[in-house]
Amino acid sequence: MAKLYRASEPDVLKPLLERAALDSDSRERVMGHALGLLADLRAAQSKGWVNQFLQEYRLNSSEGVALLSLAEAFLRVPDPETADLLIADKLGDADWRAHAGKSNSKLVNSATWGLVVGRVLVGEGATGPLRRLISRAGEPFVRQAVGAAMKMMGEIFVMGRTIDEAMKRMRRPENKGFTASFDMLGEAARTHADAQRYFQAYVGAVDAVGRDPAAGHSISVKLSALHPRYEVARWSECVPALTEMLEALAVQAASKGIALTVDAEESERLEMSLDIIGTVAGLPSLKGWDGFGMAVQAYGKRARPVIAWANRLDRVMNVRLVKGAYWDSEIKRTQVEGLADYPLFTRKAATDVSYLAVAKDMLAAENIRPAFASHNALTVATIMEWAGNSRDFEFQRLHGMGDGLYERLVQENGYHCRVYAPVGGHRDLLAYLVRRLLENGANSSFVHQLADERLTEGEILADPVAKIAAVGGKRHPSIPLPVDLFGAGGHRNSAGLDLSDVDTLAATVKVVNAPVASSGHHPGEGRGPVGGGDVTEDGASSRQPSQLDPGLRRGGAAGLGGDQVTAAITRAHAAFPGWSRSPVEERAACLDRLADLLETHRDELMAICVQEAFKTIPDAIGEVREAVDFCRYYAQQARAKLQPIELPGPTGERNMLHIEGRGVWATIAPWNFPLAIFLGQTVAALVTGNAVVAKPAPQTPRIAARAVELAHEAGVPADVLVLVTGGPEVGAALTADARIQGVAFTGSTATARKIARALLEDDSRPIVPLIAETGGINAMIVDSTALPEQVVADVIASSFRSAGQRCSALRLLLVQEDIADGVIEMLSGAMDTLRIGRAGDPATDVGPVIDQAAYDRLMAYRARVATKTVKTLDVPADGLFVPPTLVRIGAIEDLNEEWFGPILHVATWEAGKLSETIARVNAKGYGLTMGLHSRIARAAEVIEAEAAVGNLYINRSMIGAVVGSQPFGGEGLSGTGPKAGGPRYLYRFCAERAVSVDTTSAGGNATLLSLDEGGI
């Protein structure tokens, strides 16, 4: 099964195509059945106002997107001012008049005219005639009307707010003959309290459905709703806990005589899910109960092996086959993490082929009771063909979708159909609604194609096997492999590690905790293993970070004397002319070779990052990948942008602009990105033709030494790149030397000021560039339209990942006061799920801070703000662990200093004062990162126009800038620019020299003599 996870699409599809193929006779019968089902579907669509409404406002229209966005956010907004802003934002720009009177349904047309009027109310400004007419009654009127409409949309897709309400609704005439699988809404728990609330909802649902087992209804359970850290890295914690909860629900369901199905999760959770399901399936207490089941997603490459696994369990399993619900997020995750290939199919037709092949296996399996969830008439007709006269299976559809497809099959032909029926309040609907509508509204979905009048029946019912065979099973051309993410003209993406794969994670844990032998030497560097701790049988270091000998922990590097710094600069100065004259292609090739060497030695480099810089395993992977990306990106940029440029001018004159190195650069790197930033600054200076004297932070010399050694191996001459180590005195000696022609520095604002002064103190010295990236009081603004679960996840990552020791880390959370209490409560609960511990432990979220000085400073500050602390956590007693801390402050102005650690401050702001809030943050003078969580597009436009920051993040976390995609760097007190990893960075390292030659002095411009006209 594991080998299929990242296997190539054609290889996986080849046996599936054979399994799913129909002979000509079967194909003819299938088409006949499918055409009949298609007619039923279209008849149902023409009757129901709901179907007509959804058909009128499709997701591929601006109006459909507006309605979806409004439905996703409106019902959770508690304050009228923000609700009005949201309505204005979503209704104001869409062309509702274009839909007026177009539908056959009076209700749809009525709703459309309501939207037209609503747009007028919110879109014509405060002085418009309709505004003046309705006056104060207008906004509440629109707000109430929109609220009613959004609740109506919710009822389309949610069976009931409670399980009792949902069961009552299933007794309505339109549901006659159907049974339901009730799903208690809740996509994922963020806190243990959430998980317990969802568990009790499932217990209550089983009890309610169990009061009438003859009705045939069942319950669906989502494991991610039952544990806030359902992650492979937390396997030992979450799998036993989830197994226990699922066992309790299964035993309860068995005692009631009803069925229980475990819903499908994302592919990275599949192995955990199978472990949990397999354990519960084998419990002796459940022998004889045939109501246990699971869902399988056909878009996954491992779907068919999962069916074989389920069939081998020593019991009958109910298996619900679905096409898949997380396609877009899984594609993005694979690209972001730089994995080898996708765990799922990239073409919709390939998913359909997989579905058919797996369905055929399920029909033939001895120990599987199949359920086929589909809204696709061709899929349904094919399963009917293969099943023959058998009715020993069931179809399934989503509540609110697929009306008309199954009614005749159930009422006239004896087939059974179960409705997947979400249950919950409107606030819980949001994530479910968006996922389902996107899933069924995609251009390639059957539901979408059915509503497209331009498509013929033959096109709608086209054979997916033929479609995939025609392209040889190849991946969709618009979805490149992660390695090719940046296109043919861009750099090759760095390779990542799939830590959701158990074997990969185990191997990585062993590697990063093993001692790393010193592999090179430079002036002042000692030898010996990094860390120096004993290693246990499982590869984990038995010594806590704080116990490591300082000399060994920092590679034994001693600071250099002034004479040694001078000697290093002398070497680089002498090597500069030859390196500068080398072709840019040769210099770029060195960077490409270095990138390859970094990936070859990835395990070793990760181990040093973990042991020397206390990087967690995901951060260590990210560190190496970013260094690789810097090398490849700057190599690609140099080839494209550092060539001589011929400039226009009058005839008889040749003008050229040459871009060359300036001389010797000093690059001074921080300890928090000891490989990525160290190399990023350095290779940028090198590829532009400069020689470099590179100084790492005194806390992390060993990773720098290994990087320099690899750079020399890649072809950078030893005298062109010289490493010096030590503390502030070495940096001072380096920047004071008049032969230094530029400085690239990342660190504190105070140190950047000292460097700037040093570069200007000597009046006889040339004025040289300083590229400085410093810190910031980085703020995230959250309004009441934001989804709290998403906010909390992004806040946790932005504030506490890397123990808060990132330049871009979130320092100040600004929550709209109307929702502040709820957000803070959820955030506090999410903090309880953080694991604080040794960096090499895969379960660790927050490791130790870098050194004793940082620890003492942060702990002293925590003591000063103890009375304002609203949440803190316990940490191990032995080690430099600063507890993640949430501090409530009264106003934005109360925070005026960056605290470089896992300390987050929270304050509130008033609705309607977004611009004022942005201005108050700007007034602090820092300008590195800022974030916004809002569903109001206008709010995003406002912050984009008014935030004085280098990097703005909207509806996402504030860390993890990607080279070439999100150039990083600040302004004001946060840096000088240009932005690292951006298209203008290299120019700052260069000298520009223009050469103008008068060619007429040597006999004129001979090319003029060849022209057809003019001349003598």
Side-chain angles (χ1 to χ4, degrees):
M1 190 184 299
K3 68 180 181 180
L4 291 176
Y5 191 28
R6 303 291 176 191
S8 71
E9 211 155 323
D11 289 344
V12 179
L13 281 168
K14 185 177 179 180
L16 298 179
L17 287 166
E18 296 174 0
R19 184 65 169 159
L22 290 165
D23 59 41
S24 58
D25 290 342
S26 296
R27 173 68 181 167
E28 186 176 346
R29 288 192 296 271
V30 165
M31 282 297 292
H33 284 132
L35 287 169
L37 294 172
L38 199 61
D40 290 346
L41 275 165
R42 284 181 164 162
Q45 283 197 344
S46 65
K47 292 179 181 178
W49 76 268
V50 169
N51 289 318
Q52 292 186 53
F53 186 84
L54 295 176
Q55 187 174 356
E56 183 69 29
Y57 297 107
R58 300 177 191 170
L59 283 181
N60 62 343
S61 69
S62 60
E63 293 79 20
V65 171
L67 283 175
L68 176 63
S69 302
L70 192 57
E72 192 272 339
F74 183 80
L75 293 174
R76 66 168 170 263
V77 178
D79 60 297
E81 186 164 11
T82 306
D84 291 339
L85 290 173
L86 181 66
I87 295 169
D89 188 71
K90 301 310 175 190
L91 300 189
D93 294 330
D95 186 8
W96 304 107
R97 287 186 179 274
H99 297 267
K102 296 293 182 65
S103 176
N104 295 324
S105 169
K106 292 182 179 179
L107 279 172
V108 173
N109 288 331
S110 176
T112 298
W113 280 113
L115 294 169
V116 171
V117 172
R119 184 191 186 283
V120 172
L121 284 172
V122 300
E124 68 173 14
T127 60
L130 191 54
R131 278 280 189 155
R132 293 197 303 270
L133 176 65
I134 298 182
S135 188
R136 292 186 178 182
E139 287 179 354
F141 169 77
V142 174
R143 198 181 309 130
Q144 291 167 12
V146 170
M150 294 303 102
K151 290 179 180 179
M152 187 177 296
M153 282 191 70
E155 290 172 2
I156 295 171
F157 300 102
V158 175
M159 185 63 74
R161 289 167 295 181
T162 66
I163 186 64
D164 289 331
E165 186 178 296
M167 292 178 66
K168 181 179 179 181
R169 189 171 177 183
M170 277 302 298
R171 291 194 287 269
R172 291 181 182 177
E174 64 265 25
N175 293 318
K176 183 179 180 181
F178 290 82
T179 54
S181 180
F182 296 113
D183 172 31
M184 311 310 292
L185 280 175
E187 291 298 296
R190 294 293 180 210
T191 69
H192 288 292
D194 286 341
Q196 187 58 33
R197 176 166 56 87
Y198 289 137
F199 177 73
Q200 291 303 325
Y202 284 128
V203 168
V206 172
D207 183 65
V209 174
R211 290 197 292 268
D212 184 16
H217 302 316
S218 61
I219 297 293
S220 290
V221 174
K222 197 166 187 59
L223 295 176
S224 56
L226 297 178
H227 200 284
R229 300 302 300 272
Y230 187 31
E231 306 159 13
V232 171
R234 294 287 193 92
W235 186 300
S236 61
E237 170 191 345
C238 68
V239 169
L242 285 167
T243 302
E244 182 178 346
M245 285 188 281
L246 183 60
E247 176 185 354
L249 293 171
V251 169
Q252 181 192 9
S255 70
K256 302 286 187 179
I258 65 171
L260 184 79
T261 300
V262 180
D263 273 348
E265 299 274 358
E266 297 90 339
S267 61
E268 64 264 29
R269 291 168 165 162
L270 178 61
E271 292 180 66
M272 289 190 296
S273 296
L274 296 185
D275 190 315
I276 295 165
I277 293 168
T279 300
V280 173
L283 291 172
S285 58
L286 298 177
K287 289 289 184 182
W289 174 56
D290 61 359
F292 190 51
M294 60 183 290
V296 176
Q297 302 190 103
Y299 70 17
K301 291 176 177 176
R302 295 176 290 181
R304 198 176 184 198
V306 170
I307 295 300
W309 172 87
N311 192 43
R312 290 193 299 269
L313 295 175
D314 187 23
R315 64 171 301 125
V316 172
M317 286 289 290
N318 300 320
V319 178
R320 173 197 298 144
L321 183 62
V322 300
K323 295 201 173 175
Y326 305 96
W327 186 85
D328 55 337
S329 61
E330 298 220 37
I331 290 287
K332 181 177 180 180
R333 171 185 169 266
T334 306
Q335 292 176 342
V336 168
E337 296 186 8
L339 305 183
D341 207 332
Y342 299 100
L344 39 73
F345 301 109
T346 59
R347 294 179 187 264
K348 178 62 170 62
T351 293
D352 291 339
V353 168
S354 173
Y355 191 99
L356 293 173
V358 173
K360 199 170 191 179
D361 287 352
M362 290 169 62
L363 288 168
E366 294 182 0
N367 295 320
I368 286 179
R369 182 178 296 157
F372 302 111
S374 178
H375 300 144
N376 188 313
L378 183 66
T379 300
V380 172
T382 304
I383 291 170
M384 290 167 58
E385 168 71 15
W386 284 337
N389 294 324
S390 172
R391 300 293 186 270
D392 192 20
F393 66 95
E394 67 181 29
F395 289 114
Q396 293 191 2
R397 68 170 179 86
L398 295 171
H399 171 62
M401 298 183 185
D403 289 348
L405 178 59
Y406 292 111
E407 279 76 2
R408 185 160 56 88
L409 295 181
V410 169
Q411 295 163 9
E412 299 178 15
N413 298 321
Y415 289 96
H416 181 61
C417 183
R418 188 177 299 272
V419 178
Y420 187 87
V423 178
H426 298 299
R427 294 175 62 86
D428 294 320
L429 164 68
L430 309 172
Y432 172 85
L433 174 67
V434 172
R435 193 175 77 244
R436 291 305 181 201
L437 290 183
L438 287 175
E439 176 188 352
N440 289 279
N443 289 342
S444 57
S445 78
F446 182 86
V447 173
H448 179 92
Q449 292 179 345
L450 183 67
D452 191 338
E453 296 176 353
R454 296 169 298 177
L455 296 178
T456 66
E457 292 177 340
E459 290 172 320
I460 294 173
L461 300 176
D463 183 7
V465 173
K467 284 184 180 179
I468 295 303
V471 298
K474 294 180 181 177
R475 176 176 33 83
H476 197 290
S478 297
I479 304 176
L481 288 175
V483 70
D484 300 319
L485 182 61
F486 298 103
H491 65 286
R492 180 158 54 97
N493 192 16
S494 55
L497 285 172
D498 186 5
L499 298 184
S500 71
D501 178 75
V502 177
D503 294 336
T504 300
L505 179 60
T508 302
V509 170
K510 187 173 183 180
V511 162
V512 301
N513 287 290
V516 182
S518 175
S519 54
H521 184 72
H522 62 89
E525 181 199 10
R527 293 179 179 270
V530 177
D534 296 330
V535 176
T536 59
E537 290 183 356
D538 65 358
S541 173
S542 62
R543 182 179 290 182
Q544 292 292 330
S546 64
Q547 297 174 304
L548 300 180
D549 178 77
L552 287 176
R553 174 183 163 221
R554 304 306 179 195
L560 303 181
D563 292 343
Q564 291 170 302
V565 174
T566 300
I569 297 172
T570 299
R571 288 172 56 196
H573 184 71
F576 164 69
W579 178 251
S580 181
R581 287 192 296 270
S582 65
V584 66
E585 176 56 45
E586 290 183 11
R587 301 195 301 264
C590 288
L591 268 61
D592 283 334
R593 288 192 294 270
L594 175 55
D596 293 342
L597 285 169
L598 292 171
E599 290 192 327
T600 299
H601 294 274
R602 176 179 57 195
D603 290 351
E604 173 195 357
L605 295 170
M606 286 175 56
I608 302 175
C609 284
V610 168
Q611 298 173 33
E612 184 179 53
F614 304 154
K615 293 275 182 180
T616 62
I617 292 174
D619 284 349
I621 295 170
E623 182 86 10
V624 177
R625 290 192 64 208
E626 186 173 4
V628 170
D629 285 336
F630 273 131
C631 291
R632 289 181 180 150
Y633 179 72
Y634 290 146
Q636 178 262 330
Q637 288 285 302
R639 291 185 178 100
K641 297 184 176 181
L642 300 187
Q643 304 297 337
I645 302 171
E646 185 167 359
L647 303 174
T651 185
E653 186 174 282
R654 184 169 178 266
N655 299 294
M656 297 294 297
L657 181 65
H658 297 273
I659 304 173
E660 302 178 3
R662 299 180 62 91
V664 180
W665 273 71
T667 60
I668 304 174
W671 48 260
N672 63 331
F673 284 91
L675 178 65
I677 292 180
F678 173 81
L679 271 184
Q681 297 176 152
T682 298
V683 299
L686 289 171
V687 80
T688 46
N690 300 285
V692 177
V693 179
K695 179 195 167 306
Q699 296 93 334
T700 53
R702 180 60 61 83
I703 190 67
R706 188 67 180 113
V708 168
E709 186 177 60
L710 292 174
H712 293 160
E713 185 179 337
V716 178
D719 288 346
V720 170
L721 172 57
V722 184
L723 179 70
V724 298
T725 61
E729 70 288 347
V730 173
L734 187 59
T735 56
D737 195 302
R739 292 171 295 175
I740 294 296
Q741 294 298 300
V743 177
F745 167 79
T746 302
S748 71
T749 303
T751 302
R753 289 185 187 279
K754 290 179 183 178
I755 294 173
R757 285 193 294 268
L759 294 176
L760 294 173
E761 280 178 351
D762 186 350
D763 290 341
S764 64
R765 183 177 185 175
I767 299 173
V768 301
L770 167 63
I771 303 173
E773 181 193 313
T774 56
I777 300 179
N778 309 312
M780 178 189 288
I781 301 172
V782 179
D783 74 15
S784 62
T785 69
L787 183 64
E789 290 81 0
Q790 183 185 359
V791 170
V792 166
D794 288 341
V795 168
I796 290 288
S798 301
S799 302
F800 303 123
R801 187 169 173 180
S802 307
Q805 299 172 120
R806 293 188 184 221
C807 308
S808 59
L810 173 61
R811 310 296 180 198
L812 176 59
L813 176 63
L814 301 172
V815 187
Q816 187 179 322
E817 58 187 6
D818 304 271
I819 61 168
D821 291 345
V823 170
I824 291 172
E825 181 182 2
M826 184 180 292
L827 177 58
S828 298
M831 289 175 66
D832 284 329
T833 72
L834 293 172
R835 179 78 63 85
I836 299 99
R838 185 172 50 82
D841 185 341
T844 292
D845 300 302
V846 182
V849 295
I850 190 64
D851 59 20
Q852 190 70 47
Y855 175 85
D856 291 344
R857 182 171 183 269
L858 291 166
M859 293 301 286
Y861 176 70
R862 289 182 70 256
R864 293 203 302 273
V865 297
T867 57
K868 301 177 182 178
T869 297
V870 295
K871 183 68 178 182
T872 190
L873 302 177
D874 294 331
V875 299
D878 185 13
L880 300 176
F881 298 104
V882 173
T885 306
L886 183 62
V887 179
R888 182 74 179 261
I889 59 177
I892 295 172
E893 290 70 24
D894 291 349
L895 180 64
N896 293 298
E897 186 176 356
E898 178 187 36
W899 294 97
F900 209 72
I903 300 174
L904 174 63
H905 305 80
V906 60
T908 62
W909 60 285
E910 295 180 32
K913 294 187 176 181
L914 177 60
S915 289
E916 178 184 319
T917 302
I918 296 169
R920 291 167 68 189
V921 175
N922 287 342
K924 295 188 173 298
Y926 291 92
L928 189 56
T929 64
M930 191 181 293
L932 171 72
H933 266 273
S934 175
R935 292 299 192 263
I936 301 175
R938 176 59 184 158
E941 294 170 0
V942 168
I943 198 169
E944 186 174 351
E946 299 178 5
V949 294
N951 288 76
L952 177 63
Y953 298 102
I954 297 174
N955 291 330
R956 53 153 288 174
S957 73
M958 291 170 53
I959 61 172
V962 176
V963 173
S965 293
Q966 295 132 10
F968 188 79
E971 56 193 68
L973 296 175
S974 296
T976 63
K979 297 171 81 63
R984 298 181 179 87
Y985 189 63
L986 293 185
Y987 291 136
R988 187 65 169 157
F989 291 86
C990 300
E992 293 184 292
R993 292 169 180 152
V995 178
S996 183
V997 178
D998 182 1
T999 60
T1000 61
S1001 63
N1005 185 356
T1007 60
L1008 290 178
L1009 300 179
S1010 64
L1011 298 179
D1012 292 336
E1013 298 180 7
I1016 299 174

